[in-house]
Structure formats: C-alpha cells, structure tokens
Amino acid sequence: MSSLSFEIVANDENGYARAGRMQLPHGLVETPVFMPVGTQATVKSLTPADLTDDIQASIILGNTYHLMLRPGADLVEKMGGLHKFMAWNRPILTDSGGFQVWSLGELRKIEAHGVRFRSHIDGREVFLGPKESMDIQRKLGSDIVMAFDECTPYPATFKEANDSMQLSMRWASECREHLPVNDTQALFGIVQGGMYPELRLESLKAISEIDFEGIAIGGLSVGEPKEEMMAMMDALAPHLPKEKPHYVMGVGTPDDLIEGIDRGIDMFDCVMPTRNARNGTLFTDDGKINIKNLKHAEDKRPIMESCNCYTCKNFSRAYLRHLYMAKEILSSRLNTLHNLHYYCDLMSRARNALVEGNWPEFRDNFLQRYRSEA
C-alpha cells in the first residue's frame, strides 16, 4: 500500500491550476505548497517552532548529498531518522543528491550506475547512484524520496540532452526497483530533457509508465531564460497525470510560483527566500526590497503592511536595515522569517483563490502588481 494519498479539492475550470490534499505518514499537506529548504537538517537560522508556528510550513526539504557526507546517513538512522534528529514532526522531502553532484562539474565522473566524485568537505572519493541514493534516503526516513537523476546542463545540444535524459530514465527504473511501493516512503520520478519539448514529453511518458507516487520536473532554473522555463512547463501541463502530485524542483521567484500553479504545479522548493534574506533582499506583493538601501534608514513601516509574520508585526524597515548593516545574527533570522512566511502565505492565498473559484483574477492581479515593482 502506498504511503501517499492525493486528492484534488478544486481546480480552475479553464486551465490546469488546482488545489489538493496530500496525506503523508507525518501529516497532511495542502497544495499548492512551498517547501522551505533545510539542506543540512536545518532551515538556516530558524527553529522547527518558527517553521510551524509563524511560517506554518507543512513540509520541508532535506538534502541527501549534504547529509550523506556530514553527519552521514548511518548516524541519522541511529538517532532515529531525520524527523527525530532535527525535532521536526511534519513531512520531509529529501532530494536525491543528483543536482548537487551535477553542480560539482569537473569533480565528478558519470558511470553506468551512478556518479563518482570527491567530497567537497574532505576530498574523499564517493560513489552515488540510484541504489545508494535510495539506501541513504531510506535511512534518513523522509516521507517523500526523490529518484536519482542527472540534471541536464544548460545550454545542451539535442544529443547531449537526449543522452542525459535516457540515463536518468534508466536510473529512474533502478530507483523503483531498490525502493518498491511501501507504506512509509513515497517515491517521485523526475522528468528531464533539457529545453527540448519532445524530449520532455518522452521523459514524462517513461516516468508515467513507472509506478511513481508523484511526478517532478527537474532541470529547470539552471540558467535558462524564464521564457524557456515556462515553455517547458507549457509543453508538459496538458500531459501531467491528474491523479498524482506535480512538483517543479528549485523554482523560484514569487511570480514563478504563480505561473507554475497556473500550469498545474502543486509543489515548489527553492533556496531563494532564505538565501536572499541573508543577503538583505525581502519579498513583498510589490516586488523585492533591498533593505541595504539608504532610503530605508528612517523608514518606520514594516516590510509589508498586510503581512502577519513576526518580523512585520514588530519591526520597522529602519531597524532591519540597522541589523543588516551591523552584521547582526538577528538580521538573517528576522529576514528569513519574513521571506518564508511570505512564500508560504502566498501559496495559501493561491489555494484560497482556487477554492473560491477566482483563480484567474487572483493570478492576473498578483502578477501585474508584483512585476510593477514599486
């Protein structure tokens, strides 16, 4: 029996946007959903209480590559699994490590059954393939496991993208063999194919023929223009299996999320809200705010008047600028609290619009306002 059940509760009559409910071993996830990235068993600067109480995150992401290198999957398993290790009692999705290995570039060597590379921490040789990735994610105990794949670089020729995609499809089958359908962990397959619609559709067909619990779209937001990213989602949207959750990996800005929902995407993750927060960039409905700018030095307003996060309810832009300029630790924490609250709340507002039947109006109003950047 599968560990994941998914139902659609509302959808846009004239498009692909939908709201759903995904039940996992550690709880219910209402979609569309944004998953804060907790790379090394922590969302940087935040506690689990921050994530549940203020941000109201229902699921977070952990990173197989980083956790296998430090502290090691065996240790996490010995500590009772990732949930107990980091004191997080809601669902966790772990990525397979494929993207991080891809980003090593010349430090890796692709072989038939995986990738050989050197650890960025101590230089030791490591091998990671479908079997190893499934074993590690089993030890971590995440609710959703991602198939091990090769992220197609950008730009890539048709042949390069095809060869990469075919390799990922072989590895996808191996992942399912090593992690059959079970009642504790769901496995998502990943669509690849670069910026070639025909390869994307071929990959989706291959992934759909394997009994995965969910469908992910990988290899986007890797340096391509946004128009190409959206074109790939446009090509896939009519063909994504409606009964399964759809996850676009590593995307993106607030407007990317709204555009993704409009193309049938249910799940998102990205380091942008956390990384940008630490660099002084904050997100609002009116676009981005660079808190470093001198114009905020005497500004008594919160980041965003309508935001109910702890940061906006208590602190002025002037104070947040002061913390950032003084390089205070609290700067990263307060900025991250706001950005993640904003992202998760945006998904909640999108869901409400779908349930209430006014998605097109919500989408158009949001995109017009956000892109006008006051």
Side-chain angles (χ1 to χ4, degrees):
M1 179 182 172
S2 172
S3 63
L4 180 153
S5 64
F6 180 69
E7 63 171 327
I8 306 296
V9 297
N11 58 277
D12 176 27
E13 291 180 359
N14 300 310
Y16 303 107
R18 73 250 189 101
R21 291 164 56 91
M22 180 169 57
Q23 186 65 51
L24 293 162
H26 286 88
L28 177 69
V29 176
E30 294 190 323
T31 64
V33 65
F34 179 80
M35 302 179 285
V37 177
T39 303
Q40 304 195 75
T42 172
V43 176
K44 284 182 171 55
S45 81
L46 303 185
T47 67
D50 294 329
L51 290 163
T52 54
D53 300 347
D54 189 277
I55 293 163
Q56 297 184 22
S58 57
I59 177 171
I60 62 172
L61 187 142
N63 188 281
T64 294
Y65 168 83
H66 288 283
L67 292 172
M68 71 177 272
L69 295 178
R70 182 175 54 196
D74 290 338
L75 187 144
V76 174
E77 184 181 34
K78 189 177 180 180
M79 294 293 109
L82 196 50
H83 289 88
K84 284 188 177 178
F85 189 50
M86 65 181 296
W88 173 258
N89 60 10
R90 295 182 181 182
I92 296 174
L93 179 149
T94 44
D95 65 7
S96 68
F99 179 82
Q100 284 71 33
V101 171
W102 166 79
S103 67
L104 292 171
E106 297 301 316
L107 298 176
R108 61 174 166 79
K109 181 185 177 186
I110 299 171
E111 300 178 7
H113 296 286
V115 183
R116 200 169 299 279
F117 62 95
R118 294 205 171 272
S119 164
H120 73 283
I121 297 171
D122 57 16
R124 75 182 188 274
E125 186 175 274
V126 182
F127 183 82
L128 184 63
K131 179 182 184 300
E132 292 76 15
S133 180
M134 295 305 98
D135 288 344
I136 292 164
Q137 292 183 81
R138 189 185 288 114
K139 290 174 181 177
L140 296 176
S142 52
D143 297 75
I144 297 176
V145 170
M146 297 307 300
F148 186 75
D149 65 334
E150 197 213 0
C151 182
T152 307
Y154 178 87
T157 65
F158 185 89
K159 183 181 186 306
E160 288 168 342
N162 185 47
D163 290 348
S164 175
M165 184 271 287
Q166 298 295 347
L167 180 63
S168 288
M169 296 309 97
R170 290 197 296 275
W171 286 353
S173 295
E174 291 181 35
C175 288
R176 184 82 278 182
E177 288 171 22
H178 291 299
L179 189 70
V181 176
N182 63 84
D183 59 5
T184 58
Q185 291 184 301
L187 178 60
F188 281 28
I190 303 174
V191 174
Q192 288 289 353
M195 300 300 142
Y196 300 94
E198 58 270 52
L199 294 182
R200 288 281 178 177
L201 292 171
E202 183 182 340
S203 177
L204 176 60
K205 184 174 185 293
I207 290 294
S208 300
E209 288 171 357
I210 303 170
D211 191 21
F212 289 116
E213 288 88 335
I215 305 290
I217 302 170
L220 295 180
S221 197
V222 291
E224 78 281 3
K226 281 201 180 187
E227 296 76 23
E228 289 196 45
M229 177 173 77
M230 293 305 166
M232 292 308 101
M233 284 199 256
D234 284 333
L236 292 168
H239 307 284
L240 292 168
K242 292 182 173 59
E243 73 281 3
K244 294 184 178 183
H246 312 149
Y247 164 32
V248 66
M249 306 177 74
V251 175
T253 59
D255 53 332
D256 288 341
L257 270 58
I258 297 301
E259 294 275 21
I261 293 168
D262 204 48
R263 290 157 174 80
I265 304 302
D266 308 299
M267 303 164 65
F268 304 86
D269 84 279
C270 191
V271 297
M272 188 172 288
T274 44
R275 182 178 291 166
N276 281 21
R278 298 192 301 277
N279 293 324
T281 299
L282 302 161
F283 291 96
T284 77
D285 281 356
D286 294 304
K288 292 179 290 189
I289 288 175
N290 185 340
I291 205 65
K292 300 186 286 287
N293 288 351
L294 183 61
K295 67 179 181 180
H296 302 302
E298 298 180 12
D299 195 333
K300 294 179 180 179
R301 294 176 298 164
I303 301 162
M304 181 170 146
E305 299 282 359
S306 61
C307 180
N308 289 317
C309 78
Y310 174 78
T311 303
C312 285
K313 285 192 294 186
N314 291 281
F315 304 104
S316 66
R317 295 185 186 191
Y319 181 66
L320 295 172
R321 181 179 186 274
H322 158 67
L323 291 179
Y324 184 86
M325 300 307 288
K327 297 182 170 59
E328 283 290 339
I329 293 171
L330 187 58
S331 172
S332 291
R333 182 165 160 71
L334 293 180
N335 290 352
T336 302
L337 273 170
H338 167 75
N339 275 358
L340 284 180
H341 182 283
Y342 177 76
Y343 265 61
C344 290
D345 183 65
L346 179 60
M347 295 298 92
S348 179
R349 288 188 280 155
R351 178 186 171 81
N352 290 340
L354 282 159
V355 171
E356 292 165 6
N358 60 359
W359 168 251
E361 181 183 3
F362 174 84
R363 174 200 63 209
D364 293 347
N365 289 343
F366 176 84
L367 291 175
Q368 182 180 5
R369 180 176 172 184
Y370 184 82
R371 289 170 176 169
S372 68
E373 290 220 23

